[in-house]
Amino acid sequence: MKTLLTLLLAFSISSIVFAQNSPQPAESIMKQAYAKAGNENKKVLLIFHASWCSWCRKMEASIDDPSCKKFFDDNYVITYLDVKENPDKRTLENPGGDDLMDKYNAGKSGLPFWLILDAKGNALAYSEMHTDGTPSDSPTDNVGCPATEKE
């Protein structure tokens, strides 16, 4: 009986710990972002990223840099979705994140991939551009983390 109770207790604790550490589904994250954007009269800056992506970290650091942080905070609800993780880190991914990337034709794009959306989820701008600065549907034209003046 003690063994059974111990096993039940261990299972309950591990279930609670796992549930607390599981990433939120993309759908619920986006619903929260759209609601906040609507309430605050802002746009949503959605950034798809992964733990292994150095350009993703550079993009986040740029957004948080004191020289431009206020601009981003005043105008955007910044939202990150974890996608395209290595097999040993798949548990970090937000369920449905890859599907959302596919919705915006970005499934084959590099990371980071970002979009600016209105509070209803309509894409206003995205990180894929031709070298002349016009929008592109080619994943090879993803500027990701802008690094040049033109980007």
Side-chain angles (χ1 to χ4, degrees):
M1 186 66 154
K2 281 185 178 181
T3 305
L4 180 60
L5 288 174
T6 303
L7 286 172
L8 282 172
L9 181 62
F11 178 73
S12 297
I13 291 171
S14 66
S15 295
I16 292 168
V17 169
F18 178 76
Q20 290 174 348
N21 292 330
S22 297
Q24 271 190 297
E27 183 178 352
S28 63
I29 291 171
M30 296 311 299
K31 280 183 183 178
Q32 292 169 17
Y34 296 142
K36 185 174 181 178
N39 289 337
E40 297 178 8
N41 197 28
K42 294 180 180 181
K43 305 294 184 235
V44 174
L45 174 56
L46 171 58
I47 303 170
F48 294 94
H49 70 112
S51 63
W52 53 262
C53 175
S54 62
W55 282 106
C56 298
R57 288 189 296 279
K58 289 176 186 176
M59 177 99 176
E60 189 171 352
S62 295
I63 289 170
D64 289 337
D65 186 276
S67 66
C68 56
K69 182 169 179 40
K70 182 175 175 13
F71 168 80
F72 282 104
D73 288 345
D74 288 350
N75 293 285
Y76 299 99
V77 173
I78 302 167
T79 306
Y80 294 92
L81 291 178
D82 201 315
V83 295
K84 300 181 184 251
E85 285 290 349
N86 292 322
D88 63 325
K89 301 264 183 157
R90 293 259 188 231
T91 58
L92 297 176
E93 291 184 0
N94 296 100
D98 286 324
D99 295 334
L100 195 54
M101 274 190 87
D102 289 341
K103 175 183 174 181
Y104 294 107
N105 298 318
K108 295 180 182 174
S109 291
L111 295 177
F113 178 83
W114 52 264
L115 296 132
I116 297 174
L117 305 134
D118 65 18
K120 295 180 182 178
N122 299 309
L124 305 173
Y126 54 102
S127 61
E128 288 178 346
M129 288 192 266
H130 289 290
T131 53
D132 66 1
T134 61
S136 168
D137 289 331
S138 171
T140 59
D141 290 330
N142 181 20
V143 299
C145 177
T148 68
E149 187 67 30
K150 188 171 198 169
E151 293 171 347

